[in-house]
Amino acid sequence: MSSIRFSKIIIFAALAVTAFLATSPAARATNYSGNGNTGFGGVVGPGVLTLTDDGTTISGKLTTSGSMNDVLVIYVDTGASGGFSSTATLGDGNDGLRKAISGFDGGTSRSTLTFTNGFTPTFAIALGPKSDNFGDVVGLAAGGGNSLNYIGSVNLAPLGSGTGPFTFSFPASFLGLTSGTPKTIKIFGTYISDTGYRSTEAIAGNDTGSQGYFPFQQLTFATYNFAAPPAPTYAVKFSVDMSEQAALGNFVPGTDLVSAGGSFQTNPFTFDNFPLAQVGSSSIYTNTYLVMDPTNTVETYKFRYISIANNTTNYDSDPNRSFTLTTVAGGQVLPLVYFDNVPANPSSTTNYITFQIDMGPQIYLGHFNPSAGDLVTVSGSFETPRWSANFPPGPLTNNPTLSGNASNIYSATYIDYNYPGTVTQYKYVIEPGGTGTTYEDGADRSLVTPTNAATLPLAYFSGVSTYASTPITFSVDMSVPLATGQLNPANGDTVGCAGTFQTNSFGVGSRGFMLTNNPSLSGAASNIYSGTYVDRNAPGALEQYKFVINPSGGDSGTIYESPASTGGGNRFFTLGNMAVTNPLVSWNDRSPSDVLLVATTVTFQVNMTNAIDRFGVPFNPDTDRVMVDGDFTSPAFPVMSHFDDATIELDYPGNIMNRDTDTGLTYSLSFVVPAGNPVQVTYKYGILRNAGSFSNTNIDNEAGFAVNHLRFIRTSAAASTYNFPLDIFGLQRTNPAAATEPLFGNLTVSKPVGGTLPINWLGIRGVHLQSRTNLISGAWVDVTSTDGASSANIPTTKGTGFFRLIKP
């Protein structure tokens, strides 16, 4: 008896909370997005800051997208006099949070933040949950030492961990605000280390600057309305039937707890804040919530129950339920639904739904062949279990005696025991030969349970309702794979094109669309493969495709291209209503001069003299080692992708560079870059602290995320070795232009020597020198033997000349 009474006490307490929710809406919360930048690994830039208040206390929540190892400084402009135009005069380096607020390491390094557009803060809120285990409100003040005015703690939690979300709160009086008096304040947040090393990540506004100890300028800010009047509220009643969950033994009415949560709440999807109450002794639970969002807002929500005996928490399955907020006299009443849309047996309602679909276009396309045993059925979240492709009436059927396309219409009637108004999802499914499942493309269809009976509108599989036939010609230059040996026609290799335009989407090998060349043509023209395919999809379709190599012409081991123009993704074109020839492209969008034609040993070299990482820590050659990483491996950047791997030197020993001499500070390492790899190489160095301790925290410490060196492998077609020039560690932070090598250029002319005019330039395969006698008329003429070269000696007897570099 005591346990039953205890359960009733819990439910009574829940009802008391419910009454509070229905009559006393919480203060409005305001969300601020980050600027999307990922300078410190994408922690605050992709995050969300939420502020709210009750007229006396300001509360906040910071949701990050990674481990928060540094400090978020939120500058606050309340409109009070004496605001600051920049952090240039802030020199308090007494502790980590103060250094972050000042943007100053306490010594000689500083990242000055200049405020613009009327933003002149007088306060700062500093949040350092891991780096400094504290959060403060301080008043800004010029000077050094201990000049910032400590006001109080913001009760930041959790501390000692970089894992959020983080919450904080403090009296509004900390910012000089009067309780209950409305006030609009301005805010801007910058993410910075506790040594003043600033990132490009910001929130509640944006800024600009080069990451590190460099000047930054705040560009925009956000506003917050303190003690704002309550928003209008709209009553919405939620109801759920738990009877089938009780019948299954999952739920005990009167004991277990039911709630709802969603976007309609002040703090979205906080289920504990909205319990539902049992209606009498039934299995139906209900309650009303006062929603503060504007009308016509599309809200999403779920139901949840907690099993006391099993100590489990159970939610509606995805996707979330939804409704549109409206103004209704007496309040908006949402349809009663079964939990998880699993109806009771016997159900309270019986409703008949007739599905119908025209399969004519799919028969025409060759995707559906009834004579081969293909079936069409329906699958969705209305099934039990969900999406089981176990449609109770069985496959949809047609009437083959009907004339014309009417014989291609398939239908079946399903008995839906859900409550009318219940929304579920579904798709039509082709079962090739009566086995397997091929779901139609696109988003799920929505089904609303009718009252008694309804026939759904006639559908088309994947929405294709037309009968089309458009010839499309494809062409690809295979010079690169032929030169590198990736394509060998003598071994039976074939070239094809695969994509959504095909009758069987992305068919390859014997099922594919083959391209042919004309080997009798001269030069590179014989390397062009082409073919025409009749596309039966509807005009306006966005078709995706790639060129492929079928090794030995077989059905296995197909090699798909990785086009540079799409970042490795599919190519695409929009299907018109007339024949078209797609533009000629090169395999992977690479010409022979863009890639290595033979495997090449490339040596990387870096000078670590006076090297300091992006966190301000100097390199120690006695205890530290150097690693190099880049896009010249597959997969690309394996080391930096695992920047926090504690045992990174054991997992990637091949990326550890060699110290050239026992006492020197230059390091080198060679890699074999395979044929076909681009000659453009993007790479980065990293300092492995205390090598051998297996305590690496961040090997990606040369510069910010995706801030790299860029060079080109400038070899002849047959050369198999190349040494990159000596790099300077961290150059892309201090001088980005110098760390990015141009493809070609730097054309210079020297004084004549021995009857010739020396001309020099930065060269690469595919680039050559041209000349002409004047700039007004005449054609540019190629200078022989200069393709891929970097110098030429022009006889002075040729007279006046002008020169240029060209890459066709």
Side-chain angles (χ1 to χ4, degrees), residues 251-271:
F251 179 79
V252 181
T255 298
D256 294 341
L257 308 178
V258 183
S259 58
S263 62
F264 61 88
Q265 294 176 285
T266 303
N267 293 309
F269 288 92
T270 48
F271 292 86

Side-chain angles (χ1 to χ4, degrees), residues 183-198:
K183 179 74 173 181
T184 298
I185 63 176
K186 304 172 185 176
I187 60 173
F188 169 72
T190 178
Y191 193 43
I192 187 170
S193 77
D194 61 3
T195 61
Y197 188 98
R198 197 179 308 278

Side-chain angles (χ1 to χ4, degrees), residues 100-431:
I101 294 170
S102 300
F104 172 58
D105 71 348
T108 60
S109 298
R110 174 184 289 277
S111 173
T112 299
L113 177 60
T114 300
F115 304 115
T116 66
N117 295 317
F119 183 69
T120 55
T122 52
F123 297 92
I125 303 166
L127 308 178
K130 184 176 181 181
S131 59
D132 294 85
N133 282 328
F134 211 71
D136 295 336
V137 176
V138 303
L140 302 183
N146 200 24
S147 56
L148 293 177
N149 178 26
Y150 174 76
I151 296 174
S153 169
V154 299
N155 305 300
L156 180 62
L159 293 177
S161 169
T163 303
F166 304 95
T167 60
F168 57 94
S169 63
F170 57 90
S173 59
F174 280 11
L175 300 179
L177 304 177
T178 303
S179 294
T181 301
K183 179 74 173 181
T184 298
I185 63 176
K186 304 172 185 176
I187 60 173
F188 169 72
T190 178
Y191 193 43
I192 187 170
S193 77
D194 61 3
T195 61
Y197 188 98
R198 197 179 308 278
S199 81
T200 56
E201 299 187 43
I203 201 165
N206 202 0
D207 59 9
T208 182
S210 296
Q211 187 160 288
Y213 292 117
F214 298 103
F216 271 69
Q217 185 179 60
Q218 167 263 326
L219 300 176
T220 60
F221 57 82
T223 59
Y224 177 73
N225 296 318
F226 170 71
T233 59
Y234 305 94
V236 180
K237 184 177 181 180
F238 296 77
S239 303
V240 62
D241 189 334
M242 303 297 297
S243 55
E244 183 61 12
Q245 300 302 316
L248 294 171
N250 300 330
F251 179 79
V252 181
T255 298
D256 294 341
L257 308 178
V258 183
S259 58
S263 62
F264 61 88
Q265 294 176 285
T266 303
N267 293 309
F269 288 92
T270 48
F271 292 86
D272 292 337
N273 293 344
F274 186 38
L276 307 186
Q278 184 180 15
V279 177
S281 58
S282 72
S283 295
I284 295 176
Y285 285 72
T286 187
N287 200 1
T288 298
Y289 194 96
L290 297 181
V291 181
M292 291 187 292
D293 292 333
T295 57
N296 296 318
T297 299
V298 177
E299 306 282 10
T300 58
Y301 68 102
K302 284 181 182 290
F303 292 105
R304 184 193 79 175
Y305 75 86
I306 297 176
S307 170
I308 302 299
N310 298 327
N311 192 29
T312 60
T313 300
N314 307 274
Y315 296 87
D316 273 335
S317 298
D318 290 328
N320 296 331
R321 303 177 188 272
S322 65
F323 68 94
T324 300
L325 184 63
T326 59
T327 303
V328 181
Q332 184 174 1
V333 179
L334 302 183
L336 172 64
V337 295
Y338 287 104
F339 184 87
D340 209 21
N341 295 336
V342 180
N345 185 17
S347 173
S348 299
T349 65
T350 302
N351 312 288
Y352 297 88
I353 304 174
T354 299
F355 295 84
Q356 54 175 351
I357 184 169
D358 187 339
M359 297 299 292
Q362 299 303 313
I363 295 173
Y364 172 76
L365 288 169
H367 297 165
F368 182 67
N369 186 355
S371 62
D374 292 358
L375 303 175
V376 60
T377 186
V378 184
S379 183
S381 60
F382 62 85
E383 298 178 272
T384 303
R386 291 166 171 261
W387 297 98
S388 59
N390 185 28
F391 192 52
L396 280 65
T397 59
N398 66 328
N399 185 345
T401 65
L402 296 178
S403 62
N405 194 56
S407 64
N408 296 325
I409 296 176
Y410 288 71
S411 65
T413 299
Y414 171 78
I415 302 176
D416 189 349
Y417 294 108
N418 275 300
Y419 284 106
T422 299
V423 178
T424 51
Q425 292 73 41
Y426 72 101
K427 279 188 173 183
Y428 290 98
V429 181
I430 292 175
E431 297 181 358

Side-chain angles (χ1 to χ4, degrees), residues 598-603 713-716 718-723:
V598 296
T600 304
T601 300
V602 178
T603 300
I713 303 173
R714 304 178 186 279
T715 62
S716 67
S720 59
T721 61
Y722 185 75
N723 294 343

